[in-house]
Amino acid sequence: MTLESTETGRATLADLFTPVDLGALRVPNRFAMAPMTREFSPEGTVTDEVISYYARRAAAGVGLLITEGVYVSEDSGPSIRVPRLFGEPQLEAWKRLVEAVHAEGGLIAPQLWHLGAERGDHPQYNSDLPTLSPSGLSSSGKTRGRAATIAELERIRDDFARAAAAAKAAGFDAVELHGAHGYLLDQFLWEGTNRREDSYGGSLEARTRFPAEVAAAVRAAVGPEMPVIFRFSQWKSGDYTARIAKTPAELELLLGALAEAGVSVFHASTRRHWEPAFPEAEGPEAQLGLAGWAKKVTGLPSIAVGSVGLNQAFQVAFQEGGRAETAGLEPLLDQFARGEFDLMAVGRVLLSDPAWVAKVRDGRFGEIRSFHAEDRETLS
């Protein structure tokens, strides 16, 4: 299958259960677990319940699990219940989690996370440390924290690299950098939150510089073989119409710089995976989703995500009392037939039903549980 295919044929479910290579890492099927923040890790340490939560999904056939966002430093975020990738008890617990996932035949990557301005001005975790970002602006345009100095950016870069090295030492199979949704790396990429006047701000090339430096440091820390995934999005938490790349050419420039720095897989976060990323494009390319464009402009593997198997986007289903019913996978199969993605990440369906992948594999669609907002509050 190639991106250039114009055939209207649809892939089969069996096609989604074929292996794929992410560099030296062979993933047994095309399903990944999307990262979902749960805050079930007191003092930043994953518990036995969290370990079982991931192991259950590995046992049910998820090809690659991407963890919830994991703090890389003391000033990464506001919560004392988000897991961390530093500290002896935290790293020992991660080793046990990785071992449990591997014992079930699964693969796993941590999502390395720094919230930048979204950490807020009054964090519960390390409230004495400043909130740092490119320009002291949140994605909604509010003043929050302050702009990081060059020395502070170098320290944050090194924190990402140190966390990546710790992940490799703990036995993880890959690492993902969270460069989406208006968090720190994305705050550099988007002109709405990056108003810097030094070499890290201004043009798209300059705005990409710091995320690329982080990617290069992470690549150096994990070596040439370990997959380094970069999750990116156009939309921000407070602005669903935002775009970091207004044209395919801008997307190629941005992702090309990250690929050159060492990123080997792109995880294109969208609210609805089937929606065209650049509908104004001409010809067959007009139907490509964001993951399809990422693969086209870089030639690297891509991960798609966004309302897979559900009839509501997350911001509706996550409201109190919200729910999303199961939906068919026809759009997914159409995209796969066109070669738009290598892996499809699923989130809410795996919260509501840990065995979702196995049920899809076996054709047991009538047994799939619909998503309810309260599923976020459990570790089932």
Side-chain angles (χ1 to χ4, degrees):
M1 292 183 290
T2 68
L3 280 174
E4 287 70 28
S5 173
T6 58
E7 296 178 0
T8 58
R10 179 170 292 159
T12 67
L13 285 175
D15 294 326
L16 299 179
F17 290 90
T18 57
V20 61
D21 293 329
L22 304 181
L25 181 68
R26 169 152 289 197
V27 182
N29 59 48
R30 304 310 178 102
F31 290 104
M33 179 174 174
M36 294 173 285
T37 297
R38 309 302 306 286
E39 296 192 74
F40 280 107
S41 301
E43 300 304 321
T45 307
V46 294
T47 63
D48 289 343
E49 290 77 16
V50 172
I51 292 171
S52 296
Y53 163 82
Y54 284 104
R56 275 193 295 276
R57 285 146 180 88
V62 178
L64 174 66
L65 295 100
I66 305 173
T67 73
E68 60 211 279
V70 178
Y71 290 168
V72 300
S73 64
E74 299 280 3
D75 64 346
S76 286
S79 175
I80 61 173
R81 296 182 62 84
V82 165
R84 309 167 199 159
L85 252 172
F86 55 90
E88 185 175 347
Q90 288 80 11
L91 295 178
E92 286 301 317
W94 279 120
K95 290 177 183 178
R96 291 192 292 112
L97 188 150
V98 171
E99 290 170 357
V101 167
H102 287 170
E104 297 293 352
L107 303 170
I108 187 164
Q111 186 188 65
L112 309 185
W113 192 25
H114 193 299
L115 279 74
E118 300 305 319
R119 176 175 179 257
D121 288 318
H122 305 286
Q124 184 180 15
Y125 179 50
N126 290 338
S127 59
D128 57 322
L129 297 178
T131 290
L132 302 174
S133 66
S135 304
L137 294 173
S138 72
S139 58
S140 61
K142 295 180 179 180
T143 299
R144 190 172 293 162
R146 64 169 173 81
T149 66
I150 297 295
E152 287 167 334
L153 292 181
E154 292 173 349
R155 188 265 302 166
I156 292 171
R157 176 202 63 201
D158 293 344
D159 288 336
F160 271 98
R162 189 175 302 110
K168 184 175 182 179
F172 281 99
D173 303 287
V175 294
E176 175 170 286
L177 303 179
H178 197 339
H181 308 166
Y183 297 119
L184 179 68
L185 299 182
D186 191 31
Q187 288 160 23
F188 274 90
L189 295 172
W190 189 42
E191 59 187 358
T193 45
N194 187 344
R195 307 290 178 81
R196 296 179 75 97
E197 296 181 354
D198 59 10
S199 59
Y200 290 108
S203 67
L204 180 59
E205 294 95 327
R207 298 198 307 272
T208 306
R209 180 182 172 193
F210 182 68
E213 288 182 357
V214 169
V218 166
R219 170 56 69 200
V222 301
E225 298 298 326
M226 193 174 193
V228 174
I229 307 165
F230 192 93
R231 195 180 211 211
F232 73 100
S233 68
Q234 297 274 40
W235 64 272
K236 319 300 165 204
S237 297
D239 188 349
Y240 293 126
T241 65
R243 282 186 162 193
I244 54 173
K246 297 180 178 64
T247 66
E250 289 189 350
L251 185 70
E252 183 173 7
L253 187 157
L254 186 161
L255 300 186
L258 293 169
E260 186 176 351
V263 171
S264 53
V265 183
F266 285 101
H267 186 174
S269 181
T270 59
R271 296 162 66 211
R272 301 175 182 90
H273 68 87
W274 58 87
E275 291 183 344
F278 299 104
E280 65 276 12
E282 297 181 357
E285 292 179 344
Q287 67 187 324
L288 292 179
L290 191 59
W293 276 107
K295 187 171 181 179
K296 180 177 179 62
V297 301
T298 67
L300 293 173
S302 70
I303 304 173
V305 70
S307 301
V308 176
L310 294 174
N311 68 350
Q312 293 281 1
F314 67 89
Q315 82 278 13
V316 175
F318 276 175
Q319 295 173 358
E320 183 176 355
R323 61 183 295 150
E325 302 297 338
T326 57
L329 298 179
E330 289 81 9
L332 181 73
L333 295 173
D334 288 340
Q335 285 179 298
F336 191 66
R338 294 194 296 266
E340 287 198 37
F341 65 86
D342 297 276
L343 288 171
M344 173 57 69
V346 290
R348 287 171 293 151
V349 292
L350 286 176
L351 286 184
S352 59
D353 195 337
W356 184 84
V357 172
K359 291 177 180 178
V360 169
R361 179 193 64 209
D362 299 338
R364 295 182 285 134
F365 292 98
E367 300 178 20
I368 293 175
R369 184 181 184 276
S370 300
F371 174 82
H372 302 258
E374 56 268 25
D375 292 332
R376 298 181 71 193
E377 309 303 323
T378 70
L379 270 176
S380 61

